[in-house]
PDB file of all heavy atoms in Angstrom:
ATOM      1  N   LEU Z   1       4.935 -14.549  -2.396  1.00 98.00           N
ATOM      2  CA  LEU Z   1       6.287 -13.990  -2.386  1.00 98.00           C
ATOM      3  C   LEU Z   1       6.689 -13.507  -0.996  1.00 98.00           C
ATOM      4  O   LEU Z   1       7.832 -13.704  -0.563  1.00 98.00           O
ATOM      5  CB  LEU Z   1       6.375 -12.837  -3.394  1.00 98.00           C
ATOM      6  CG  LEU Z   1       6.349 -13.233  -4.869  1.00 98.00           C
ATOM      7  CD1 LEU Z   1       6.046 -12.027  -5.745  1.00 98.00           C
ATOM      8  CD2 LEU Z   1       7.695 -13.861  -5.268  1.00 98.00           C
ATOM      9  N   VAL Z   2       5.739 -12.886  -0.297  1.00 98.00           N
ATOM     10  CA  VAL Z   2       6.024 -12.441   1.067  1.00 98.00           C
ATOM     11  C   VAL Z   2       6.238 -13.648   1.984  1.00 98.00           C
ATOM     12  O   VAL Z   2       7.174 -13.678   2.799  1.00 98.00           O
ATOM     13  CB  VAL Z   2       4.889 -11.542   1.603  1.00 98.00           C
ATOM     14  CG1 VAL Z   2       5.094 -11.237   3.087  1.00 98.00           C
ATOM     15  CG2 VAL Z   2       4.828 -10.238   0.813  1.00 98.00           C
ATOM     16  N   ALA Z   3       5.389 -14.647   1.858  1.00 97.00           N
ATOM     17  CA  ALA Z   3       5.489 -15.843   2.705  1.00 97.00           C
ATOM     18  C   ALA Z   3       6.824 -16.556   2.507  1.00 97.00           C
ATOM     19  O   ALA Z   3       7.392 -17.114   3.457  1.00 97.00           O
ATOM     20  CB  ALA Z   3       4.332 -16.789   2.406  1.00 97.00           C
ATOM     21  N   GLU Z   4       7.337 -16.524   1.275  1.00 97.00           N
ATOM     22  CA  GLU Z   4       8.596 -17.199   0.976  1.00 97.00           C
ATOM     23  C   GLU Z   4       9.807 -16.325   1.268  1.00 97.00           C
ATOM     24  O   GLU Z   4      10.953 -16.758   1.067  1.00 97.00           O
ATOM     25  CB  GLU Z   4       8.615 -17.641  -0.489  1.00 97.00           C
ATOM     26  CG  GLU Z   4       7.582 -18.717  -0.815  1.00 97.00           C
ATOM     27  CD  GLU Z   4       7.547 -19.063  -2.295  1.00 97.00           C
ATOM     28  OE1 GLU Z   4       8.178 -18.330  -3.096  1.00 97.00           O
ATOM     29  OE2 GLU Z   4       6.881 -20.061  -2.649  1.00 97.00           O
ATOM     30  N   GLY Z   5       9.569 -15.102   1.721  1.00 97.00           N
ATOM     31  CA  GLY Z   5      10.671 -14.207   2.034  1.00 97.00           C
ATOM     32  C   GLY Z   5      11.341 -13.579   0.828  1.00 97.00           C
ATOM     33  O   GLY Z   5      12.419 -12.987   0.941  1.00 97.00           O
ATOM     34  N   LYS Z   6      10.705 -13.677  -0.333  1.00 97.00           N
ATOM     35  CA  LYS Z   6      11.275 -13.093  -1.551  1.00 97.00           C
ATOM     36  C   LYS Z   6      10.893 -11.626  -1.734  1.00 97.00           C
ATOM     37  O   LYS Z   6      11.458 -10.940  -2.580  1.00 97.00           O
ATOM     38  CB  LYS Z   6      10.816 -13.897  -2.772  1.00 97.00           C
ATOM     39  CG  LYS Z   6      11.328 -15.327  -2.797  1.00 97.00           C
ATOM     40  CD  LYS Z   6      10.812 -16.059  -4.032  1.00 97.00           C
ATOM     41  CE  LYS Z   6      11.342 -17.492  -4.063  1.00 97.00           C
ATOM     42  NZ  LYS Z   6      10.822 -18.239  -5.244  1.00 97.00           N
ATOM     43  N   LEU Z   7       9.906 -11.174  -0.956  1.00 98.00           N
ATOM     44  CA  LEU Z   7       9.413  -9.802  -1.094  1.00 98.00           C
ATOM     45  C   LEU Z   7       9.182  -9.229   0.294  1.00 98.00           C
ATOM     46  O   LEU Z   7       8.506  -9.843   1.123  1.00 98.00           O
ATOM     47  CB  LEU Z   7       8.107  -9.799  -1.904  1.00 98.00           C
ATOM     48  CG  LEU Z   7       7.553  -8.443  -2.326  1.00 98.00           C
ATOM     49  CD1 LEU Z   7       8.492  -7.765  -3.319  1.00 98.00           C
ATOM     50  CD2 LEU Z   7       6.167  -8.608  -2.957  1.00 98.00           C
ATOM     51  N   ASP Z   8       9.756  -8.067   0.529  1.00 98.00           N
ATOM     52  CA  ASP Z   8       9.581  -7.377   1.802  1.00 98.00           C
ATOM     53  C   ASP Z   8       8.179  -6.775   1.850  1.00 98.00           C
ATOM     54  O   ASP Z   8       7.783  -6.035   0.946  1.00 98.00           O
ATOM     55  CB  ASP Z   8      10.639  -6.286   1.933  1.00 98.00           C
ATOM     56  CG  ASP Z   8      10.678  -5.665   3.321  1.00 98.00           C
ATOM     57  OD1 ASP Z   8       9.681  -5.765   4.058  1.00 98.00           O
ATOM     58  OD2 ASP Z   8      11.712  -5.051   3.648  1.00 98.00           O
ATOM     59  N   GLU Z   9       7.433  -7.081   2.914  1.00 98.00           N
ATOM     60  CA  GLU Z   9       6.073  -6.554   3.029  1.00 98.00           C
ATOM     61  C   GLU Z   9       6.062  -5.032   3.073  1.00 98.00           C
ATOM     62  O   GLU Z   9       5.042  -4.404   2.760  1.00 98.00           O
ATOM     63  CB  GLU Z   9       5.387  -7.124   4.270  1.00 98.00           C
ATOM     64  CG  GLU Z   9       3.893  -6.813   4.337  1.00 98.00           C
ATOM     65  CD  GLU Z   9       3.171  -7.545   5.448  1.00 98.00           C
ATOM     66  OE1 GLU Z   9       3.753  -8.512   6.018  1.00 98.00           O
ATOM     67  OE2 GLU Z   9       2.015  -7.183   5.745  1.00 98.00           O
ATOM     68  N   ALA Z  10       7.177  -4.429   3.433  1.00 98.00           N
ATOM     69  CA  ALA Z  10       7.253  -2.966   3.464  1.00 98.00           C
ATOM     70  C   ALA Z  10       7.002  -2.368   2.079  1.00 98.00           C
ATOM     71  O   ALA Z  10       6.456  -1.265   1.962  1.00 98.00           O
ATOM     72  CB  ALA Z  10       8.616  -2.517   3.990  1.00 98.00           C
ATOM     73  N   LEU Z  11       7.372  -3.082   1.013  1.00 98.00           N
ATOM     74  CA  LEU Z  11       7.112  -2.596  -0.346  1.00 98.00           C
ATOM     75  C   LEU Z  11       5.616  -2.609  -0.637  1.00 98.00           C
ATOM     76  O   LEU Z  11       5.088  -1.709  -1.300  1.00 98.00           O
ATOM     77  CB  LEU Z  11       7.863  -3.452  -1.364  1.00 98.00           C
ATOM     78  CG  LEU Z  11       9.390  -3.317  -1.375  1.00 98.00           C
ATOM     79  CD1 LEU Z  11       9.999  -4.318  -2.338  1.00 98.00           C
ATOM     80  CD2 LEU Z  11       9.810  -1.898  -1.743  1.00 98.00           C
ATOM     81  N   ILE Z  12       4.934  -3.632  -0.146  1.00 98.00           N
ATOM     82  CA  ILE Z  12       3.478  -3.682  -0.301  1.00 98.00           C
ATOM     83  C   ILE Z  12       2.834  -2.577   0.526  1.00 98.00           C
ATOM     84  O   ILE Z  12       1.903  -1.899   0.066  1.00 98.00           O
ATOM     85  CB  ILE Z  12       2.956  -5.074   0.097  1.00 98.00           C
ATOM     86  CG1 ILE Z  12       3.401  -6.103  -0.953  1.00 98.00           C
ATOM     87  CG2 ILE Z  12       1.429  -5.073   0.238  1.00 98.00           C
ATOM     88  CD1 ILE Z  12       2.997  -7.512  -0.648  1.00 98.00           C
ATOM     89  N   ASP Z  13       3.340  -2.354   1.719  1.00 98.00           N
ATOM     90  CA  ASP Z  13       2.812  -1.273   2.559  1.00 98.00           C
ATOM     91  C   ASP Z  13       2.935   0.078   1.865  1.00 98.00           C
ATOM     92  O   ASP Z  13       2.015   0.904   1.909  1.00 98.00           O
ATOM     93  CB  ASP Z  13       3.558  -1.232   3.894  1.00 98.00           C
ATOM     94  CG  ASP Z  13       3.199  -2.395   4.810  1.00 98.00           C
ATOM     95  OD1 ASP Z  13       2.230  -3.120   4.500  1.00 98.00           O
ATOM     96  OD2 ASP Z  13       3.878  -2.570   5.834  1.00 98.00           O
ATOM     97  N   ASP Z  14       4.066   0.300   1.221  1.00 98.00           N
ATOM     98  CA  ASP Z  14       4.271   1.567   0.513  1.00 98.00           C
ATOM     99  C   ASP Z  14       3.243   1.747  -0.595  1.00 98.00           C
ATOM    100  O   ASP Z  14       2.653   2.825  -0.755  1.00 98.00           O
ATOM    101  CB  ASP Z  14       5.679   1.630  -0.076  1.00 98.00           C
ATOM    102  CG  ASP Z  14       5.908   2.879  -0.907  1.00 98.00           C
ATOM    103  OD1 ASP Z  14       5.921   3.987  -0.341  1.00 98.00           O
ATOM    104  OD2 ASP Z  14       6.059   2.742  -2.139  1.00 98.00           O
ATOM    105  N   ALA Z  15       3.009   0.687  -1.367  1.00 98.00           N
ATOM    106  CA  ALA Z  15       2.030   0.757  -2.455  1.00 98.00           C
ATOM    107  C   ALA Z  15       0.628   1.017  -1.915  1.00 98.00           C
ATOM    108  O   ALA Z  15      -0.114   1.869  -2.435  1.00 98.00           O
ATOM    109  CB  ALA Z  15       2.052  -0.537  -3.265  1.00 98.00           C
ATOM    110  N   VAL Z  16       0.243   0.311  -0.870  1.00 98.00           N
ATOM    111  CA  VAL Z  16      -1.103   0.458  -0.314  1.00 98.00           C
ATOM    112  C   VAL Z  16      -1.293   1.842   0.288  1.00 98.00           C
ATOM    113  O   VAL Z  16      -2.354   2.458   0.137  1.00 98.00           O
ATOM    114  CB  VAL Z  16      -1.368  -0.643   0.734  1.00 98.00           C
ATOM    115  CG1 VAL Z  16      -2.728  -0.434   1.405  1.00 98.00           C
ATOM    116  CG2 VAL Z  16      -1.326  -2.015   0.075  1.00 98.00           C
ATOM    117  N   LYS Z  17      -0.279   2.359   0.958  1.00 98.00           N
ATOM    118  CA  LYS Z  17      -0.369   3.708   1.517  1.00 98.00           C
ATOM    119  C   LYS Z  17      -0.624   4.727   0.414  1.00 98.00           C
ATOM    120  O   LYS Z  17      -1.407   5.667   0.582  1.00 98.00           O
ATOM    121  CB  LYS Z  17       0.906   4.054   2.282  1.00 98.00           C
ATOM    122  CG  LYS Z  17       1.041   3.345   3.617  1.00 98.00           C
ATOM    123  CD  LYS Z  17       2.375   3.626   4.281  1.00 98.00           C
ATOM    124  CE  LYS Z  17       2.466   5.066   4.762  1.00 98.00           C
ATOM    125  NZ  LYS Z  17       3.676   5.283   5.581  1.00 98.00           N
ATOM    126  N   ARG Z  18       0.019   4.543  -0.713  1.00 98.00           N
ATOM    127  CA  ARG Z  18      -0.161   5.470  -1.835  1.00 98.00           C
ATOM    128  C   ARG Z  18      -1.599   5.407  -2.359  1.00 98.00           C
ATOM    129  O   ARG Z  18      -2.199   6.443  -2.682  1.00 98.00           O
ATOM    130  CB  ARG Z  18       0.837   5.146  -2.953  1.00 98.00           C
ATOM    131  CG  ARG Z  18       2.267   5.479  -2.595  1.00 98.00           C
ATOM    132  CD  ARG Z  18       3.265   5.001  -3.636  1.00 98.00           C
ATOM    133  NE  ARG Z  18       4.609   5.439  -3.299  1.00 98.00           N
ATOM    134  CZ  ARG Z  18       5.114   6.640  -3.580  1.00 98.00           C
ATOM    135  NH1 ARG Z  18       4.380   7.517  -4.259  1.00 98.00           N
ATOM    136  NH2 ARG Z  18       6.322   6.965  -3.216  1.00 98.00           N
ATOM    137  N   ILE Z  19      -2.139   4.208  -2.448  1.00 98.00           N
ATOM    138  CA  ILE Z  19      -3.517   4.042  -2.922  1.00 98.00           C
ATOM    139  C   ILE Z  19      -4.498   4.629  -1.912  1.00 98.00           C
ATOM    140  O   ILE Z  19      -5.427   5.371  -2.286  1.00 98.00           O
ATOM    141  CB  ILE Z  19      -3.808   2.552  -3.182  1.00 98.00           C
ATOM    142  CG1 ILE Z  19      -2.942   2.043  -4.349  1.00 98.00           C
ATOM    143  CG2 ILE Z  19      -5.291   2.329  -3.484  1.00 98.00           C
ATOM    144  CD1 ILE Z  19      -2.875   0.530  -4.456  1.00 98.00           C
ATOM    145  N   LEU Z  20      -4.301   4.344  -0.644  1.00 98.00           N
ATOM    146  CA  LEU Z  20      -5.182   4.891   0.393  1.00 98.00           C
ATOM    147  C   LEU Z  20      -5.107   6.415   0.431  1.00 98.00           C
ATOM    148  O   LEU Z  20      -6.120   7.092   0.649  1.00 98.00           O
ATOM    149  CB  LEU Z  20      -4.793   4.317   1.760  1.00 98.00           C
ATOM    150  CG  LEU Z  20      -4.979   2.814   1.972  1.00 98.00           C
ATOM    151  CD1 LEU Z  20      -4.477   2.405   3.352  1.00 98.00           C
ATOM    152  CD2 LEU Z  20      -6.441   2.414   1.796  1.00 98.00           C
ATOM    153  N   ARG Z  21      -3.906   6.949   0.239  1.00 97.00           N
ATOM    154  CA  ARG Z  21      -3.729   8.405   0.266  1.00 97.00           C
ATOM    155  C   ARG Z  21      -4.627   9.084  -0.771  1.00 97.00           C
ATOM    156  O   ARG Z  21      -5.274  10.091  -0.483  1.00 97.00           O
ATOM    157  CB  ARG Z  21      -2.265   8.738   0.007  1.00 97.00           C
ATOM    158  CG  ARG Z  21      -1.925  10.217   0.131  1.00 97.00           C
ATOM    159  CD  ARG Z  21      -0.446  10.440  -0.142  1.00 97.00           C
ATOM    160  NE  ARG Z  21       0.372   9.832   0.886  1.00 97.00           N
ATOM    161  CZ  ARG Z  21       1.369   8.960   0.661  1.00 97.00           C
ATOM    162  NH1 ARG Z  21       1.636   8.582  -0.584  1.00 97.00           N
ATOM    163  NH2 ARG Z  21       2.076   8.471   1.649  1.00 97.00           N
ATOM    164  N   VAL Z  22      -4.651   8.530  -1.977  1.00 98.00           N
ATOM    165  CA  VAL Z  22      -5.499   9.111  -3.027  1.00 98.00           C
ATOM    166  C   VAL Z  22      -6.975   8.995  -2.648  1.00 98.00           C
ATOM    167  O   VAL Z  22      -7.758   9.927  -2.831  1.00 98.00           O
ATOM    168  CB  VAL Z  22      -5.216   8.431  -4.381  1.00 98.00           C
ATOM    169  CG1 VAL Z  22      -6.250   8.857  -5.428  1.00 98.00           C
ATOM    170  CG2 VAL Z  22      -3.802   8.781  -4.864  1.00 98.00           C
ATOM    171  N   LYS Z  23      -7.361   7.860  -2.087  1.00 98.00           N
ATOM    172  CA  LYS Z  23      -8.764   7.674  -1.698  1.00 98.00           C
ATOM    173  C   LYS Z  23      -9.169   8.647  -0.600  1.00 98.00           C
ATOM    174  O   LYS Z  23     -10.295   9.174  -0.592  1.00 98.00           O
ATOM    175  CB  LYS Z  23      -8.999   6.224  -1.265  1.00 98.00           C
ATOM    176  CG  LYS Z  23      -8.885   5.223  -2.415  1.00 98.00           C
ATOM    177  CD  LYS Z  23      -9.188   3.794  -1.968  1.00 98.00           C
ATOM    178  CE  LYS Z  23      -9.127   2.832  -3.152  1.00 98.00           C
ATOM    179  NZ  LYS Z  23      -9.491   1.452  -2.789  1.00 98.00           N
ATOM    180  N   PHE Z  24      -8.255   8.893   0.340  1.00 97.00           N
ATOM    181  CA  PHE Z  24      -8.558   9.884   1.373  1.00 97.00           C
ATOM    182  C   PHE Z  24      -8.681  11.278   0.771  1.00 97.00           C
ATOM    183  O   PHE Z  24      -9.591  12.044   1.110  1.00 97.00           O
ATOM    184  CB  PHE Z  24      -7.474   9.873   2.457  1.00 97.00           C
ATOM    185  CG  PHE Z  24      -7.767   8.961   3.604  1.00 97.00           C
ATOM    186  CD1 PHE Z  24      -7.014   7.820   3.825  1.00 97.00           C
ATOM    187  CD2 PHE Z  24      -8.812   9.244   4.476  1.00 97.00           C
ATOM    188  CE1 PHE Z  24      -7.284   6.971   4.885  1.00 97.00           C
ATOM    189  CE2 PHE Z  24      -9.100   8.398   5.548  1.00 97.00           C
ATOM    190  CZ  PHE Z  24      -8.330   7.265   5.749  1.00 97.00           C
ATOM    191  N   LYS Z  25      -7.771  11.624  -0.133  1.00 96.00           N
ATOM    192  CA  LYS Z  25      -7.814  12.947  -0.754  1.00 96.00           C
ATOM    193  C   LYS Z  25      -9.097  13.145  -1.557  1.00 96.00           C
ATOM    194  O   LYS Z  25      -9.598  14.267  -1.675  1.00 96.00           O
ATOM    195  CB  LYS Z  25      -6.593  13.146  -1.654  1.00 96.00           C
ATOM    196  CG  LYS Z  25      -5.295  13.341  -0.885  1.00 96.00           C
ATOM    197  CD  LYS Z  25      -4.126  13.567  -1.839  1.00 96.00           C
ATOM    198  CE  LYS Z  25      -2.837  13.833  -1.071  1.00 96.00           C
ATOM    199  NZ  LYS Z  25      -1.685  14.053  -1.976  1.00 96.00           N
ATOM    200  N   MET Z  26      -9.620  12.069  -2.099  1.00 97.00           N
ATOM    201  CA  MET Z  26     -10.869  12.148  -2.852  1.00 97.00           C
ATOM    202  C   MET Z  26     -12.087  12.222  -1.938  1.00 97.00           C
ATOM    203  O   MET Z  26     -13.206  12.431  -2.411  1.00 97.00           O
ATOM    204  CB  MET Z  26     -10.997  10.947  -3.792  1.00 97.00           C
ATOM    205  CG  MET Z  26      -9.965  10.921  -4.906  1.00 97.00           C
ATOM    206  SD  MET Z  26     -10.010   9.402  -5.895  1.00 97.00           S
ATOM    207  CE  MET Z  26     -11.558   9.625  -6.772  1.00 97.00           C
ATOM    208  N   GLY Z  27     -11.881  12.036  -0.640  1.00 96.00           N
ATOM    209  CA  GLY Z  27     -12.997  12.104   0.307  1.00 96.00           C
ATOM    210  C   GLY Z  27     -13.835  10.854   0.360  1.00 96.00           C
ATOM    211  O   GLY Z  27     -14.947  10.863   0.894  1.00 96.00           O
ATOM    212  N   LEU Z  28     -13.309   9.742  -0.153  1.00 97.00           N
ATOM    213  CA  LEU Z  28     -14.104   8.516  -0.226  1.00 97.00           C
ATOM    214  C   LEU Z  28     -14.308   7.867   1.139  1.00 97.00           C
ATOM    215  O   LEU Z  28     -15.315   7.196   1.362  1.00 97.00           O
ATOM    216  CB  LEU Z  28     -13.441   7.527  -1.185  1.00 97.00           C
ATOM    217  CG  LEU Z  28     -13.618   7.843  -2.675  1.00 97.00           C
ATOM    218  CD1 LEU Z  28     -12.668   7.016  -3.520  1.00 97.00           C
ATOM    219  CD2 LEU Z  28     -15.052   7.620  -3.102  1.00 97.00           C
ATOM    220  N   PHE Z  29     -13.369   8.041   2.048  1.00 97.00           N
ATOM    221  CA  PHE Z  29     -13.556   7.460   3.382  1.00 97.00           C
ATOM    222  C   PHE Z  29     -14.653   8.194   4.148  1.00 97.00           C
ATOM    223  O   PHE Z  29     -15.357   7.606   4.961  1.00 97.00           O
ATOM    224  CB  PHE Z  29     -12.241   7.488   4.159  1.00 97.00           C
ATOM    225  CG  PHE Z  29     -11.319   6.363   3.808  1.00 97.00           C
ATOM    226  CD1 PHE Z  29     -10.387   6.502   2.791  1.00 97.00           C
ATOM    227  CD2 PHE Z  29     -11.396   5.158   4.476  1.00 97.00           C
ATOM    228  CE1 PHE Z  29      -9.540   5.465   2.456  1.00 97.00           C
ATOM    229  CE2 PHE Z  29     -10.549   4.104   4.153  1.00 97.00           C
ATOM    230  CZ  PHE Z  29      -9.618   4.254   3.132  1.00 97.00           C
TER     231      PHE Z  29
END
């Protein structure tokens, strides 16, 4: 979808940031 221009990668970035944020808060890094 990103390659075809149907989905802005910024939306994926937002989702991944949210997932990483929880992992950092849990001390997993």
Side-chain angles (χ1 to χ4, degrees):
L1 288 164
V2 172
E4 294 176 349
K6 295 179 179 179
L7 189 66
D8 189 339
E9 190 171 346
L11 290 175
I12 290 178
D13 288 349
D14 176 67
V16 175
K17 287 175 70 172
R18 290 173 175 277
I19 294 165
L20 295 177
R21 185 180 293 126
V22 170
K23 292 183 177 183
F24 268 112
K25 288 181 177 180
M26 294 173 70
L28 284 167
F29 279 90

